[in-house]
mmCIF file of all heavy atoms in Angstrom:
data_model
loop_
_atom_site.group_PDB
_atom_site.id
_atom_site.type_symbol
_atom_site.label_atom_id
_atom_site.label_comp_id
_atom_site.label_asym_id
_atom_site.label_seq_id
_atom_site.Cartn_x
_atom_site.Cartn_y
_atom_site.Cartn_z
ATOM 1 N N SER A 13 71.914 106.846 85.952
ATOM 2 C CA SER A 13 71.631 105.821 86.948
ATOM 3 C C SER A 13 71.839 104.422 86.366
ATOM 4 O O SER A 13 72.432 103.556 87.006
ATOM 5 C CB SER A 13 70.199 105.979 87.458
ATOM 6 O OG SER A 13 69.887 104.985 88.376
ATOM 7 N N THR A 14 71.366 104.214 85.144
ATOM 8 C CA THR A 14 71.541 102.921 84.475
ATOM 9 C C THR A 14 73.012 102.656 84.209
ATOM 10 O O THR A 14 73.496 101.538 84.411
ATOM 11 C CB THR A 14 70.745 102.884 83.161
ATOM 12 O OG1 THR A 14 69.370 103.104 83.448
ATOM 13 C CG2 THR A 14 70.904 101.556 82.449
ATOM 14 N N LYS A 15 73.735 103.675 83.781
ATOM 15 C CA LYS A 15 75.165 103.530 83.517
ATOM 16 C C LYS A 15 75.908 103.145 84.794
ATOM 17 O O LYS A 15 76.753 102.242 84.788
ATOM 18 C CB LYS A 15 75.737 104.830 82.952
ATOM 19 C CG LYS A 15 77.212 104.757 82.618
ATOM 20 C CD LYS A 15 77.705 106.060 82.031
ATOM 21 C CE LYS A 15 79.196 105.981 81.736
ATOM 22 N NZ LYS A 15 79.709 107.222 81.169
ATOM 23 N N ARG A 16 75.574 103.784 85.899
ATOM 24 C CA ARG A 16 76.192 103.494 87.185
ATOM 25 C C ARG A 16 75.878 102.052 87.622
ATOM 26 O O ARG A 16 76.748 101.324 88.076
ATOM 27 C CB ARG A 16 75.687 104.481 88.233
ATOM 28 C CG ARG A 16 76.673 104.809 89.293
ATOM 29 C CD ARG A 16 76.208 105.936 90.216
ATOM 30 N NE ARG A 16 76.026 107.193 89.511
ATOM 31 C CZ ARG A 16 74.885 107.892 89.474
ATOM 32 N NH1 ARG A 16 73.823 107.473 90.101
ATOM 33 N NH2 ARG A 16 74.817 109.029 88.816
ATOM 34 N N ALA A 17 74.626 101.648 87.476
ATOM 35 C CA ALA A 17 74.223 100.287 87.848
ATOM 36 C C ALA A 17 74.917 99.258 86.951
ATOM 37 O O ALA A 17 75.369 98.213 87.437
ATOM 38 C CB ALA A 17 72.704 100.148 87.755
ATOM 39 N N ASN A 18 74.996 99.544 85.656
ATOM 40 C CA ASN A 18 75.682 98.625 84.731
ATOM 41 C C ASN A 18 77.158 98.482 85.092
ATOM 42 O O ASN A 18 77.720 97.384 85.051
ATOM 43 C CB ASN A 18 75.535 99.102 83.293
ATOM 44 C CG ASN A 18 74.151 98.889 82.737
ATOM 45 O OD1 ASN A 18 73.316 98.204 83.324
ATOM 46 N ND2 ASN A 18 73.875 99.495 81.594
ATOM 47 N N PHE A 19 77.790 99.592 85.459
ATOM 48 C CA PHE A 19 79.196 99.543 85.845
ATOM 49 C C PHE A 19 79.374 98.703 87.113
ATOM 50 O O PHE A 19 80.265 97.857 87.185
ATOM 51 C CB PHE A 19 79.749 100.954 86.067
ATOM 52 C CG PHE A 19 81.167 100.956 86.542
ATOM 53 C CD1 PHE A 19 82.208 100.666 85.675
ATOM 54 C CD2 PHE A 19 81.463 101.219 87.872
ATOM 55 C CE1 PHE A 19 83.525 100.643 86.118
ATOM 56 C CE2 PHE A 19 82.769 101.204 88.324
ATOM 57 C CZ PHE A 19 83.797 100.912 87.448
ATOM 58 N N CYS A 20 78.524 98.936 88.096
ATOM 59 C CA CYS A 20 78.613 98.172 89.347
ATOM 60 C C CYS A 20 78.376 96.688 89.110
ATOM 61 O O CYS A 20 79.039 95.844 89.722
ATOM 62 C CB CYS A 20 77.622 98.709 90.375
ATOM 63 S SG CYS A 20 78.095 100.313 91.015
ATOM 64 N N LEU A 21 77.453 96.357 88.225
ATOM 65 C CA LEU A 21 77.203 94.952 87.908
ATOM 66 C C LEU A 21 78.413 94.339 87.211
ATOM 67 O O LEU A 21 78.788 93.197 87.503
ATOM 68 C CB LEU A 21 75.949 94.811 87.043
ATOM 69 C CG LEU A 21 75.526 93.387 86.697
ATOM 70 C CD1 LEU A 21 75.260 92.574 87.966
ATOM 71 C CD2 LEU A 21 74.299 93.402 85.815
ATOM 72 N N THR A 22 79.048 95.087 86.329
ATOM 73 C CA THR A 22 80.257 94.599 85.657
ATOM 74 C C THR A 22 81.359 94.314 86.670
ATOM 75 O O THR A 22 81.996 93.260 86.626
ATOM 76 C CB THR A 22 80.760 95.630 84.621
ATOM 77 O OG1 THR A 22 79.737 95.866 83.670
ATOM 78 C CG2 THR A 22 82.007 95.151 83.911
ATOM 79 N N VAL A 23 81.572 95.228 87.588
ATOM 80 C CA VAL A 23 82.600 95.051 88.618
ATOM 81 C C VAL A 23 82.262 93.861 89.514
ATOM 82 O O VAL A 23 83.129 93.035 89.814
ATOM 83 C CB VAL A 23 82.772 96.337 89.451
ATOM 84 C CG1 VAL A 23 83.657 96.106 90.659
ATOM 85 C CG2 VAL A 23 83.346 97.450 88.583
ATOM 86 N N THR A 24 80.999 93.746 89.911
ATOM 87 C CA THR A 24 80.582 92.637 90.776
ATOM 88 C C THR A 24 80.797 91.297 90.090
ATOM 89 O O THR A 24 81.365 90.369 90.685
ATOM 90 C CB THR A 24 79.103 92.790 91.177
ATOM 91 O OG1 THR A 24 78.919 94.032 91.847
ATOM 92 C CG2 THR A 24 78.657 91.654 92.074
ATOM 93 N N ILE A 25 80.363 91.182 88.849
ATOM 94 C CA ILE A 25 80.534 89.922 88.116
ATOM 95 C C ILE A 25 82.013 89.600 87.941
ATOM 96 O O ILE A 25 82.431 88.447 88.080
ATOM 97 C CB ILE A 25 79.792 89.968 86.770
ATOM 98 C CG1 ILE A 25 78.279 89.862 87.012
ATOM 99 C CG2 ILE A 25 80.263 88.859 85.840
ATOM 100 C CD1 ILE A 25 77.436 89.980 85.773
ATOM 101 N N THR A 26 82.827 90.592 87.678
ATOM 102 C CA THR A 26 84.263 90.368 87.501
ATOM 103 C C THR A 26 84.905 89.876 88.795
ATOM 104 O O THR A 26 85.653 88.886 88.787
ATOM 105 C CB THR A 26 84.960 91.655 87.024
ATOM 106 O OG1 THR A 26 84.350 92.073 85.798
ATOM 107 C CG2 THR A 26 86.446 91.445 86.818
ATOM 108 N N ILE A 59 84.323 83.801 81.246
ATOM 109 C CA ILE A 59 83.565 84.275 80.087
ATOM 110 C C ILE A 59 82.556 85.378 80.453
ATOM 111 O O ILE A 59 82.497 86.401 79.759
ATOM 112 C CB ILE A 59 82.891 83.098 79.349
ATOM 113 C CG1 ILE A 59 83.962 82.222 78.691
ATOM 114 C CG2 ILE A 59 81.881 83.578 78.318
ATOM 115 C CD1 ILE A 59 83.439 80.937 78.091
ATOM 116 N N PRO A 60 81.746 85.241 81.525
ATOM 117 C CA PRO A 60 80.791 86.306 81.849
ATOM 118 C C PRO A 60 81.410 87.685 82.085
ATOM 119 O O PRO A 60 80.866 88.682 81.598
ATOM 120 C CB PRO A 60 80.073 85.799 83.109
ATOM 121 C CG PRO A 60 80.205 84.333 83.040
ATOM 122 C CD PRO A 60 81.531 84.077 82.387
ATOM 123 N N PRO A 61 82.557 87.777 82.799
ATOM 124 C CA PRO A 61 83.142 89.115 82.927
ATOM 125 C C PRO A 61 83.553 89.725 81.588
ATOM 126 O O PRO A 61 83.403 90.926 81.372
ATOM 127 C CB PRO A 61 84.364 88.904 83.826
ATOM 128 C CG PRO A 61 84.134 87.632 84.507
ATOM 129 C CD PRO A 61 83.258 86.819 83.626
ATOM 130 N N VAL A 62 84.046 88.880 80.705
ATOM 131 C CA VAL A 62 84.446 89.381 79.379
ATOM 132 C C VAL A 62 83.217 89.861 78.607
ATOM 133 O O VAL A 62 83.215 90.957 78.033
ATOM 134 C CB VAL A 62 85.212 88.290 78.593
ATOM 135 C CG1 VAL A 62 85.429 88.701 77.150
ATOM 136 C CG2 VAL A 62 86.535 87.980 79.271
ATOM 137 N N ILE A 63 82.155 89.049 78.619
ATOM 138 C CA ILE A 63 80.905 89.448 77.939
ATOM 139 C C ILE A 63 80.358 90.726 78.555
ATOM 140 O O ILE A 63 79.952 91.651 77.845
ATOM 141 C CB ILE A 63 79.868 88.308 78.001
ATOM 142 C CG1 ILE A 63 80.314 87.142 77.124
ATOM 143 C CG2 ILE A 63 78.486 88.800 77.577
ATOM 144 C CD1 ILE A 63 79.462 85.901 77.262
ATOM 145 N N SER A 64 80.354 90.787 79.886
ATOM 146 C CA SER A 64 79.843 91.973 80.578
ATOM 147 C C SER A 64 80.649 93.220 80.209
ATOM 148 O O SER A 64 80.079 94.282 79.948
ATOM 149 C CB SER A 64 79.899 91.768 82.096
ATOM 150 O OG SER A 64 79.087 90.708 82.475
ATOM 151 N N PHE A 65 81.963 93.082 80.198
ATOM 152 C CA PHE A 65 82.825 94.213 79.874
ATOM 153 C C PHE A 65 82.594 94.687 78.441
ATOM 154 O O PHE A 65 82.479 95.889 78.187
ATOM 155 C CB PHE A 65 84.296 93.834 80.088
ATOM 156 C CG PHE A 65 85.236 94.970 79.863
ATOM 157 C CD1 PHE A 65 85.377 95.959 80.814
ATOM 158 C CD2 PHE A 65 85.973 95.058 78.696
ATOM 159 C CE1 PHE A 65 86.232 97.028 80.604
ATOM 160 C CE2 PHE A 65 86.836 96.107 78.478
ATOM 161 C CZ PHE A 65 86.967 97.103 79.437
ATOM 162 N N ILE A 66 82.483 93.750 77.508
ATOM 163 C CA ILE A 66 82.260 94.115 76.103
ATOM 164 C C ILE A 66 80.924 94.832 75.933
ATOM 165 O O ILE A 66 80.842 95.875 75.283
ATOM 166 C CB ILE A 66 82.349 92.871 75.192
ATOM 167 C CG1 ILE A 66 83.789 92.374 75.115
ATOM 168 C CG2 ILE A 66 81.802 93.160 73.795
ATOM 169 C CD1 ILE A 66 83.959 91.022 74.443
ATOM 170 N N PHE A 67 79.868 94.278 76.537
ATOM 171 C CA PHE A 67 78.551 94.916 76.441
ATOM 172 C C PHE A 67 78.543 96.285 77.110
ATOM 173 O O PHE A 67 77.916 97.214 76.619
ATOM 174 C CB PHE A 67 77.468 94.023 77.052
ATOM 175 C CG PHE A 67 76.776 93.154 76.051
ATOM 176 C CD1 PHE A 67 77.373 91.986 75.593
ATOM 177 C CD2 PHE A 67 75.536 93.503 75.547
ATOM 178 C CE1 PHE A 67 76.756 91.180 74.666
ATOM 179 C CE2 PHE A 67 74.903 92.703 74.617
ATOM 180 C CZ PHE A 67 75.511 91.533 74.172
ATOM 181 N N TYR A 68 79.233 96.410 78.239
ATOM 182 C CA TYR A 68 79.284 97.699 78.930
ATOM 183 C C TYR A 68 80.020 98.735 78.100
ATOM 184 O O TYR A 68 79.581 99.870 77.978
ATOM 185 C CB TYR A 68 79.942 97.559 80.303
ATOM 186 C CG TYR A 68 80.013 98.875 81.033
ATOM 187 C CD1 TYR A 68 78.887 99.402 81.652
ATOM 188 C CD2 TYR A 68 81.192 99.612 81.079
ATOM 189 C CE1 TYR A 68 78.940 100.623 82.301
ATOM 190 C CE2 TYR A 68 81.251 100.827 81.727
ATOM 191 C CZ TYR A 68 80.127 101.328 82.336
ATOM 192 O OH TYR A 68 80.171 102.542 82.962
ATOM 193 N N LYS A 69 81.139 98.351 77.513
ATOM 194 C CA LYS A 69 81.906 99.296 76.674
ATOM 195 C C LYS A 69 81.129 99.692 75.420
ATOM 196 O O LYS A 69 81.227 100.821 74.962
ATOM 197 C CB LYS A 69 83.267 98.695 76.285
ATOM 198 C CG LYS A 69 84.254 98.739 77.388
ATOM 199 C CD LYS A 69 84.539 100.169 77.765
ATOM 200 C CE LYS A 69 85.562 100.295 78.838
ATOM 201 N NZ LYS A 69 85.750 101.656 79.298
ATOM 202 N N LYS A 70 80.360 98.754 74.886
ATOM 203 C CA LYS A 70 79.581 99.023 73.676
ATOM 204 C C LYS A 70 78.496 100.069 73.943
ATOM 205 O O LYS A 70 78.332 101.007 73.172
ATOM 206 C CB LYS A 70 78.956 97.721 73.174
ATOM 207 C CG LYS A 70 78.186 97.870 71.893
ATOM 208 C CD LYS A 70 77.621 96.535 71.442
ATOM 209 C CE LYS A 70 76.738 96.723 70.230
ATOM 210 N NZ LYS A 70 76.023 95.505 69.884
ATOM 211 N N ASP A 71 77.748 99.899 75.038
ATOM 212 C CA ASP A 71 76.694 100.849 75.391
ATOM 213 C C ASP A 71 76.480 100.829 76.902
ATOM 214 O O ASP A 71 75.731 99.994 77.413
ATOM 215 C CB ASP A 71 75.389 100.497 74.671
ATOM 216 C CG ASP A 71 74.289 101.512 74.929
ATOM 217 O OD1 ASP A 71 74.559 102.571 75.539
ATOM 218 O OD2 ASP A 71 73.140 101.239 74.528
ATOM 219 N N PRO A 72 77.134 101.739 77.632
ATOM 220 C CA PRO A 72 77.039 101.741 79.090
ATOM 221 C C PRO A 72 75.631 102.032 79.634
ATOM 222 O O PRO A 72 75.347 101.729 80.775
ATOM 223 C CB PRO A 72 77.997 102.846 79.529
ATOM 224 C CG PRO A 72 78.761 103.241 78.348
ATOM 225 C CD PRO A 72 78.050 102.746 77.142
ATOM 226 N N THR A 73 74.767 102.588 78.825
ATOM 227 C CA THR A 73 73.417 102.925 79.298
ATOM 228 C C THR A 73 72.357 101.943 78.812
ATOM 229 O O THR A 73 71.170 102.198 78.933
ATOM 230 C CB THR A 73 73.030 104.351 78.839
ATOM 231 O OG1 THR A 73 73.052 104.400 77.412
ATOM 232 C CG2 THR A 73 73.969 105.390 79.410
ATOM 233 N N SER A 74 72.769 100.811 78.314
ATOM 234 C CA SER A 74 71.848 99.821 77.753
ATOM 235 C C SER A 74 70.929 99.226 78.824
ATOM 236 O O SER A 74 71.377 98.839 79.902
ATOM 237 C CB SER A 74 72.630 98.690 77.093
ATOM 238 O OG SER A 74 71.768 97.661 76.696
ATOM 239 N N GLN A 75 69.650 99.152 78.511
ATOM 240 C CA GLN A 75 68.681 98.503 79.391
ATOM 241 C C GLN A 75 68.769 96.976 79.265
ATOM 242 O O GLN A 75 68.398 96.252 80.173
ATOM 243 C CB GLN A 75 67.259 98.968 79.048
ATOM 244 C CG GLN A 75 66.997 100.427 79.348
ATOM 245 C CD GLN A 75 66.990 100.721 80.837
ATOM 246 O OE1 GLN A 75 66.570 99.906 81.639
ATOM 247 N NE2 GLN A 75 67.469 101.896 81.197
ATOM 248 N N LEU A 76 69.250 96.501 78.129
ATOM 249 C CA LEU A 76 69.381 95.068 77.876
ATOM 250 C C LEU A 76 70.580 94.460 78.606
ATOM 251 O O LEU A 76 70.604 93.267 78.867
ATOM 252 C CB LEU A 76 69.515 94.826 76.364
ATOM 253 C CG LEU A 76 69.671 93.404 75.876
ATOM 254 C CD1 LEU A 76 68.407 92.603 76.193
ATOM 255 C CD2 LEU A 76 69.934 93.395 74.388
ATOM 256 N N TYR A 77 71.524 95.290 78.977
ATOM 257 C CA TYR A 77 72.772 94.827 79.573
ATOM 258 C C TYR A 77 72.556 93.920 80.780
ATOM 259 O O TYR A 77 73.167 92.877 80.894
ATOM 260 C CB TYR A 77 73.638 96.021 79.983
ATOM 261 C CG TYR A 77 74.827 95.611 80.803
ATOM 262 C CD1 TYR A 77 75.954 95.074 80.201
ATOM 263 C CD2 TYR A 77 74.807 95.704 82.192
ATOM 264 C CE1 TYR A 77 77.034 94.666 80.950
ATOM 265 C CE2 TYR A 77 75.879 95.288 82.947
ATOM 266 C CZ TYR A 77 76.987 94.772 82.325
ATOM 267 O OH TYR A 77 78.048 94.356 83.069
ATOM 268 N N ARG A 78 71.683 94.316 81.691
ATOM 269 C CA ARG A 78 71.502 93.541 82.924
ATOM 270 C C ARG A 78 71.024 92.124 82.638
ATOM 271 O O ARG A 78 71.405 91.185 83.315
ATOM 272 C CB ARG A 78 70.550 94.242 83.883
ATOM 273 C CG ARG A 78 69.161 94.385 83.329
ATOM 274 C CD ARG A 78 68.267 95.135 84.254
ATOM 275 N NE ARG A 78 67.048 95.467 83.530
ATOM 276 C CZ ARG A 78 66.052 96.083 84.060
ATOM 277 N NH1 ARG A 78 66.112 96.442 85.309
ATOM 278 N NH2 ARG A 78 64.989 96.341 83.358
ATOM 279 N N LYS A 79 70.192 91.969 81.607
ATOM 280 C CA LYS A 79 69.695 90.636 81.262
ATOM 281 C C LYS A 79 70.803 89.790 80.647
ATOM 282 O O LYS A 79 70.958 88.614 80.980
ATOM 283 C CB LYS A 79 68.506 90.747 80.316
ATOM 284 C CG LYS A 79 67.307 91.387 80.980
ATOM 285 C CD LYS A 79 66.178 91.627 80.031
ATOM 286 C CE LYS A 79 65.054 92.347 80.763
ATOM 287 N NZ LYS A 79 64.042 92.844 79.885
ATOM 288 N N VAL A 80 71.578 90.373 79.764
ATOM 289 C CA VAL A 80 72.690 89.654 79.138
ATOM 290 C C VAL A 80 73.717 89.258 80.194
ATOM 291 O O VAL A 80 74.196 88.110 80.216
ATOM 292 C CB VAL A 80 73.344 90.515 78.034
ATOM 293 C CG1 VAL A 80 74.632 89.888 77.538
ATOM 294 C CG2 VAL A 80 72.383 90.730 76.884
ATOM 295 N N ALA A 81 74.037 90.177 81.088
ATOM 296 C CA ALA A 81 75.028 89.893 82.133
ATOM 297 C C ALA A 81 74.531 88.791 83.065
ATOM 298 O O ALA A 81 75.280 87.873 83.404
ATOM 299 C CB ALA A 81 75.325 91.165 82.926
ATOM 300 N N LEU A 82 73.273 88.868 83.480
ATOM 301 C CA LEU A 82 72.734 87.853 84.388
ATOM 302 C C LEU A 82 72.680 86.478 83.733
ATOM 303 O O LEU A 82 73.095 85.484 84.325
ATOM 304 C CB LEU A 82 71.338 88.251 84.881
ATOM 305 C CG LEU A 82 70.684 87.247 85.830
ATOM 306 C CD1 LEU A 82 71.439 87.193 87.149
ATOM 307 C CD2 LEU A 82 69.229 87.594 86.057
ATOM 308 N N VAL A 83 72.201 86.408 82.500
ATOM 309 C CA VAL A 83 72.094 85.116 81.812
ATOM 310 C C VAL A 83 73.476 84.510 81.573
ATOM 311 O O VAL A 83 73.687 83.317 81.822
ATOM 312 C CB VAL A 83 71.305 85.258 80.485
ATOM 313 C CG1 VAL A 83 71.430 84.012 79.635
ATOM 314 C CG2 VAL A 83 69.842 85.554 80.784
ATOM 315 N N SER A 84 74.428 85.311 81.130
ATOM 316 C CA SER A 84 75.768 84.764 80.887
ATOM 317 C C SER A 84 76.396 84.280 82.190
ATOM 318 O O SER A 84 77.024 83.219 82.229
ATOM 319 C CB SER A 84 76.667 85.783 80.189
ATOM 320 O OG SER A 84 76.943 86.874 81.036
ATOM 321 N N TYR A 85 76.198 85.024 83.260
ATOM 322 C CA TYR A 85 76.745 84.602 84.553
ATOM 323 C C TYR A 85 76.040 83.338 85.056
ATOM 324 O O TYR A 85 76.685 82.420 85.548
ATOM 325 C CB TYR A 85 76.626 85.719 85.594
ATOM 326 C CG TYR A 85 77.264 85.347 86.904
ATOM 327 C CD1 TYR A 85 78.643 85.374 87.051
ATOM 328 C CD2 TYR A 85 76.503 84.931 87.986
ATOM 329 C CE1 TYR A 85 79.245 85.008 88.240
ATOM 330 C CE2 TYR A 85 77.099 84.566 89.178
ATOM 331 C CZ TYR A 85 78.463 84.612 89.303
ATOM 332 O OH TYR A 85 79.062 84.239 90.471
ATOM 333 N N VAL A 108 75.669 88.974 92.914
ATOM 334 C CA VAL A 108 75.116 89.397 91.623
ATOM 335 C C VAL A 108 73.642 89.780 91.802
ATOM 336 O O VAL A 108 73.172 90.775 91.247
ATOM 337 C CB VAL A 108 75.296 88.290 90.565
ATOM 338 C CG1 VAL A 108 74.633 88.663 89.261
ATOM 339 C CG2 VAL A 108 76.775 88.017 90.349
ATOM 340 N N SER A 111 73.381 93.143 93.306
ATOM 341 C CA SER A 111 73.658 94.166 92.289
ATOM 342 C C SER A 111 72.422 94.495 91.459
ATOM 343 O O SER A 111 72.267 95.609 90.969
ATOM 344 C CB SER A 111 74.772 93.713 91.359
ATOM 345 O OG SER A 111 75.951 93.525 92.056
ATOM 346 N N MET A 112 71.540 93.512 91.298
ATOM 347 C CA MET A 112 70.318 93.735 90.517
ATOM 348 C C MET A 112 69.390 94.761 91.167
ATOM 349 O O MET A 112 68.570 95.368 90.504
ATOM 350 C CB MET A 112 69.552 92.418 90.327
ATOM 351 C CG MET A 112 70.268 91.412 89.492
ATOM 352 S SD MET A 112 70.489 92.007 87.817
ATOM 353 C CE MET A 112 71.769 90.942 87.267
ATOM 354 N N MET A 114 70.058 97.618 92.153
ATOM 355 C CA MET A 114 70.363 98.986 91.713
ATOM 356 C C MET A 114 69.520 99.426 90.527
ATOM 357 O O MET A 114 69.474 100.600 90.215
ATOM 358 C CB MET A 114 71.845 99.094 91.360
ATOM 359 C CG MET A 114 72.735 98.984 92.552
ATOM 360 S SD MET A 114 74.459 99.203 92.133
ATOM 361 C CE MET A 114 74.784 97.684 91.260
ATOM 362 N N TYR A 115 68.831 98.483 89.885
ATOM 363 C CA TYR A 115 68.005 98.830 88.731
ATOM 364 C C TYR A 115 66.591 99.238 89.132
ATOM 365 O O TYR A 115 65.831 99.709 88.306
ATOM 366 C CB TYR A 115 67.947 97.652 87.749
ATOM 367 C CG TYR A 115 69.274 97.404 87.085
ATOM 368 C CD1 TYR A 115 70.090 96.369 87.498
ATOM 369 C CD2 TYR A 115 69.714 98.209 86.044
ATOM 370 C CE1 TYR A 115 71.311 96.137 86.893
ATOM 371 C CE2 TYR A 115 70.924 97.985 85.436
ATOM 372 C CZ TYR A 115 71.721 96.950 85.867
ATOM 373 O OH TYR A 115 72.925 96.730 85.262
ATOM 374 N N PHE A 120 61.954 92.184 87.886
ATOM 375 C CA PHE A 120 63.203 91.545 87.455
ATOM 376 C C PHE A 120 63.944 90.931 88.642
ATOM 377 O O PHE A 120 64.482 89.825 88.536
ATOM 378 C CB PHE A 120 64.085 92.568 86.736
ATOM 379 C CG PHE A 120 65.348 91.988 86.170
ATOM 380 C CD1 PHE A 120 65.298 91.111 85.097
ATOM 381 C CD2 PHE A 120 66.575 92.313 86.706
ATOM 382 C CE1 PHE A 120 66.453 90.572 84.571
ATOM 383 C CE2 PHE A 120 67.737 91.776 86.195
ATOM 384 C CZ PHE A 120 67.675 90.906 85.121
#
Side-chain angles (χ1 to χ4, degrees):
S13 178
T14 301
K15 181 178 178 180
R16 212 172 297 123
N18 287 349
F19 177 74
C20 289
L21 183 59
T22 301
V23 171
T24 302
I25 287 176
T26 302
I59 292 172
V62 171
I63 291 172
S64 298
F65 184 77
I66 290 170
F67 266 79
Y68 180 77
K69 283 297 182 186
K70 183 179 174 188
D71 184 8
T73 60
S74 173
Q75 293 292 326
L76 180 65
Y77 171 79
R78 63 183 168 178
K79 294 174 183 169
V80 170
L82 180 67
V83 168
S84 67
Y85 184 77
V108 175
S111 298
M112 294 296 162
M114 291 183 289
Y115 292 102
F120 184 69

